[in-house]
Each structure stands twice: as C-alpha cells, then as structure tokens.
C-alpha cells in the first residue's frame, strides 16, 4: 500500500479534532472482570443474585438509614412502575414540568395517567411548589400527583415539595434521573437513571430510593412478575429486573465513584474557568462546584443560540439541546394540556449543552471557550 503516488496528504483538516457533545466513560473491562469471575463461581446470572443485591445495598448506603432501593431496567420504567404502585385514580392528571426529558411524560402515560405540563422557574429551570399551588385551581381535571424534575442533576428544594405533599395530599415523586450525585434523601421517592449518559452509568438501568417500605415492595413486585415471597403472580405486573451483569458493572462503577466524582469536579471547574470572561454564558447554580453531572447545559443570551450552535458546529464542536424546546412540544404529547409556559419557551430557545466529558482536556475546553468568544463577539 501507499506507492509513490499514493501518500495521503495530512492537511491540518485531517488532524482537526472533533469535540463531541457527550463522551461517556463507564468502568473498563479490568474493573468489571473480578465481578464477572464471582459470577462464574456463583453461577447466578439474574433474579437478585449476590452482585445485584450487593449493588442495591451499596446504593442504599448513600441514603438515610431505612432507605429501600429497587433497581430496574431503566429510570423511565421505575417512574412508570412507581406511579402504578401508588394506585392513583385512572386517567387523573400528573403535573410534570414542561422543561424536562420526554421520559417523564412517557412514564405518566404508560402508567395510565395524563401529564399536565406546567412551567418552570426561569432561574433554576425547575418546577416550583408555589407554581403548583397557584395552578391547582385552574387544573384541567382531577390531579393526583406531581413529578418535579432535578434539572440536569440540580436538586430542587425538597422541603418545599414535602410541604406541598402535606398541604395538598398530592403524591410527589422526584424524577432525579440525572441526580445520582445529589440524591441522598428518600423521604420523597426519588428515581435515578444509570444510563450510560448519566453521571453514574452502567449502560441501561435505574433505581427507586424510598423510605416507604411498602411502596418499595410494591414496585419490586411490579418488576418481577407480581411475585412477592412466592412464585405466584399476585398482581398484574411485568419483568423489569436487572441482571447480575448490570450488578457487576454497577459495583465497578461505585468502586470508581469517589475518584470519578473528583475528576468530574476538576473538568467542570476548568469549564467554568474557561468561561470567566464570558459572563453571558450562564451555568446552573452550583454546577460543577456543589454538585456534579454528566452534561454541561448553559443558558445563552436570548436570540444567540442558533448563531452559537452554527459557529461551534463550523469549528467541529458538538452541542446538544438536551431538552429541546420543551417536553410539551413533542408530537407524542400534543393531546395533553399545558399551562402558560413562558419560561420553558425561553429556556428552550436559550439553553444548550456544550461538549462535556469526565476526561475532557484543557485543549478541548479552550477550543470551546474560544469558539464561544468568536460566536458571541459579533452580537
Ligand atoms: C435520562 C432521563 C430519564 C430517563 O432515564 P432512562 O434510565 O434512560 O430511562 C428520565 N428523566 C430525565 C429527567 C432524564 O434526564
């Protein structure tokens, strides 16, 4: 190959590195192997074998004592099964923020309920208990529950949600899919995703953390054919269990978590440092300082997003509008009611995910900030 005339000309273009919007890093083969060997010995591959049981126990240690963990094939299923386990009136409304990932609304519908999209706060991007309180009088029908969402991993004010639950009797489930780092309380049932793109990834998976023993038992029963203590199906259910392979990756991921978290903090701080002279690029409060997550969603000045996206794309820098124009704008949810959504509409136009990965280096980060300076300078 490569005869006299066949030499490839390596122009700078060829060398130009692409900065992808996301580049997950799960535990490597060497970290998982010891657990796979244990599986070989135990010859247990699913049905709550020793690895998944150990993984759940270690997840529970992150929460207050008495917390029950129920693992499941993904967070969307956990949300659905938790709503089912709560036995809410069929066809009642569940309040969801309009600014969220589509999974939140899908889960509501899959549980035989109806989403009602309510606006979020323009500053913290999350549904507020006071908005729910104020909106209830104008609800499109009977409301049985509310699912606040931890926006990209930021933790909402849980005391406010507990007060709302107490005062209104609504069931409250926190969609903390991206909030593995911050989810440490289980008084309000919290659902966390273990998807590869989340901060603690195992590929596909999710879990419920709750202090309500009975709720945990019912969700568990729904994940395992309706069995509870015997092989008799006592309720209509499904199979949404995780296997021992998932448990192996999960244990390896937890082994790495302390150092991975520090690495996330370091990379996040570099991102923040690179934007010091770009105050118009606004991070979520505490992002990468008080808490870590796997994405870097920032808010740009109104009206600049398209131009910024195009400028970064031209520099081979990927971006992603993780929640696009809002959940309610998806065709799948066109038939469901929406409150007035001015903040969601504004965020949909101004929030973009910059490239982010646990091991992004200084060169990539300075390329991103450099492209942002260029993009925002002419505006
Ligand atoms: C990722 C995500 C989900 C879905 O989690 P899966 O484990 O992929 O089902 C749900 N809600 C939010 C807010 C998410 O970010």
């Amino acid at each position: 190959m490569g005869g006299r005339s066949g030499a490839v000309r390596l122009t700078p273009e060829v060398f130009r590195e692409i900065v992808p919007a996301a580049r997950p890093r799960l535990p490597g083969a060497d970290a998982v192997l010891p657990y796979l060997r244990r599986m070989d010995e135990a010859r247990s591959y699913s049905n709550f074998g020793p690895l998944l049981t150990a993984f759940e126990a270690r997840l529970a240690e992150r929460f207050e004592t008495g917390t029950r963990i129920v693992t499941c094939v993904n967070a969307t299923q956990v949300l659905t099964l938790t709503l089912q386990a709560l036995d809410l009136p069929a066809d009642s409304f569940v309040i969801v923020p309009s600014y969220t990932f589509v999974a939140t609304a899908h889960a509501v519908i899959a549980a035989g309920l109806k989403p009602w999209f309510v606006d979020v706060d323009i500053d913290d991007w999350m549904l507020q208990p006071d908005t729910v309180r104020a909106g209830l009088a104008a609800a499109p029908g009977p409301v049985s529950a509310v699912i606040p969402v931890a926006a990209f991993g930021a933790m909402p004010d849980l005391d406010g949600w507990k007060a709302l639950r107490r005062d209104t009797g609504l069931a409250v489930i926190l969609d903390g899919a991206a909030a593995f780092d911050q989810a440490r309380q289980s008084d309000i049932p919290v659902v966390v995703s273990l998807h590869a793109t989340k901060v603690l990834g195992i590929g596909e998976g999710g879990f419920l953390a709750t202090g309500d023993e009975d709720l945990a038992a019912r969700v568990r029963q729904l994940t395992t054919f309706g069995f509870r203590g015997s092989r008799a199906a006592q309720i209509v259910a499904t199979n949404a269990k995780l296997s021992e392979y998932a448990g192996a990756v999960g244990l390896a991921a937890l082994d790495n978590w302390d150092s991975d978290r520090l690495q996330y903090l370091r990379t996040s701080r570099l991102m923040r440092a690179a934007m010091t002279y770009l105050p118009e690029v606004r991070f979520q409060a505490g992002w990468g300082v008080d808490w870590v997550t796997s994405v870097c969603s920032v808010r740009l000045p109104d009206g600049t997003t398209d131009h910024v996206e195009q400028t970064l794309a031209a520099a081979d820098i990927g971006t992603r509008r993780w929640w696009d124009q809002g959940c309610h704008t998806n065709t799948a949810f066109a038939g469901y009611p929406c409150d007035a959504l001015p903040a969601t509409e504004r965020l949909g136009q101004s929030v973009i995910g910059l490239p982010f990965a646990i091991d992004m280096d200084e060169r990539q980060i300075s390329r991103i900030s450099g492209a942002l300076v260029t993009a925002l300078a002419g505006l």
Side-chain angles (χ1 to χ4, degrees):
M1 274 185 33
R4 263 172 311 175
S5 58
V8 178
R9 241 190 321 139
L10 293 171
T11 65
E13 284 307 307
V14 176
F15 283 121
R16 192 147 97 170
E17 160 193 36
I18 289 168
V19 187
R23 196 153 178 261
R25 190 184 76 186
L26 270 62
D30 290 339
V32 181
L33 193 60
Y35 292 111
L36 295 180
R37 297 227 187 281
R38 281 199 219 169
M39 208 190 313
D40 289 345
E41 280 161 32
R43 292 178 64 171
S44 170
Y45 305 102
S46 191
N47 295 2
F48 313 109
L51 296 177
L52 193 71
T53 304
F55 180 48
E56 289 191 346
R58 280 180 62 185
L59 290 173
E61 283 167 16
R62 295 178 53 78
F63 293 83
E64 60 259 56
T65 38
T67 298
R68 300 294 195 280
I69 301 289
V70 182
T71 51
C72 187
V73 287
N74 57 59
T76 311
Q77 273 291 335
V78 191
L79 282 169
T80 300
L81 299 181
T82 305
L83 287 166
Q84 282 179 5
L86 288 169
D87 219 3
L88 302 166
D91 279 330
S92 58
F93 283 99
V94 176
I95 296 176
V96 299
S98 40
Y99 198 57
T100 183
F101 183 53
V102 294
T104 320
H106 277 311
V108 170
I109 298 166
L113 303 160
K114 296 185 291 196
W116 175 29
F117 296 100
V118 171
D119 207 9
V120 296
D121 180 80
I122 191 72
D123 293 319
D124 79 2
W125 312 354
M126 292 191 269
L127 186 63
Q128 307 296 316
D130 284 348
T131 314
V132 171
R133 268 178 223 275
L136 277 174
V143 176
S144 58
V146 51
I147 308 184
V149 174
F152 303 110
M155 198 38 70
D157 162 32
L158 294 180
D159 288 339
W161 287 110
K162 281 184 225 168
L164 179 111
R165 180 175 64 182
R166 190 187 57 228
D167 298 345
T168 63
L170 294 177
V172 180
I173 305 171
L174 175 62
D175 178 348
F180 174 79
D181 181 46
Q182 286 287 287
R184 309 299 290 257
Q185 292 183 45
S186 60
D187 185 353
I188 289 183
V190 55
V191 172
V192 178
S193 172
L194 301 167
H195 187 260
T197 54
K198 301 297 203 277
V199 77
L200 189 101
I202 68 167
E204 291 280 359
F207 65 89
L208 167 71
T210 176
D212 181 339
E213 190 179 346
D214 194 48
L215 177 65
R218 277 178 284 149
V219 175
R220 174 78 88 201
Q221 192 177 11
L222 287 168
T223 68
T224 182
F225 308 107
F227 296 166
R228 188 169 181 173
S230 77
R231 287 184 54 81
Q234 296 168 24
I235 54 168
V236 173
T238 188
N239 174 17
K241 303 185 298 289
L242 283 179
S243 76
E244 287 290 276
Y245 290 92
V249 180
L251 287 167
L254 286 180
D255 292 343
N256 289 343
W257 172 244
D258 284 346
S259 64
D260 280 354
R261 184 176 193 277
L262 283 173
Q263 217 178 328
Y264 266 117
L265 280 172
R266 184 169 61 191
T267 309
S268 309
R269 284 181 186 234
L270 285 171
M271 278 295 272
R272 278 186 172 271
M275 310 295 168
T276 305
Y277 300 109
L278 284 165
E280 59 270 61
V281 175
R282 275 146 64 189
F283 292 89
Q284 288 178 277
W287 181 90
V289 180
D290 302 323
W291 52 279
V292 300
T293 189
S294 58
V295 296
C296 178
S297 283
V298 294
R299 185 160 164 225
L300 300 170
D302 290 331
T304 64
T305 312
D306 290 344
H307 177 69
V308 167
E309 274 173 344
Q310 285 154 19
T311 309
L312 267 60
D316 289 329
I317 296 169
T319 56
R320 197 163 299 168
R321 294 198 201 189
W322 290 107
W323 294 348
D324 206 20
Q325 305 295 311
C327 188
H328 62 290
T329 62
N330 288 273
T331 312
F333 312 125
Y336 294 97
C338 299
D339 209 5
L341 305 172
T344 300
E345 277 154 20
R346 229 171 126 194
L347 293 172
Q349 300 285 345
S350 59
V351 172
I352 62 163
L354 297 175
F356 193 62
I358 186 170
D359 54 349
M360 214 160 56
D361 65 25
E362 294 83 345
R363 253 169 6 105
Q364 291 173 309
I365 291 171
S366 56
R367 274 191 56 184
I368 298 163
S369 57
L372 283 168
V373 168
T374 308
L376 292 168
L379 299 169

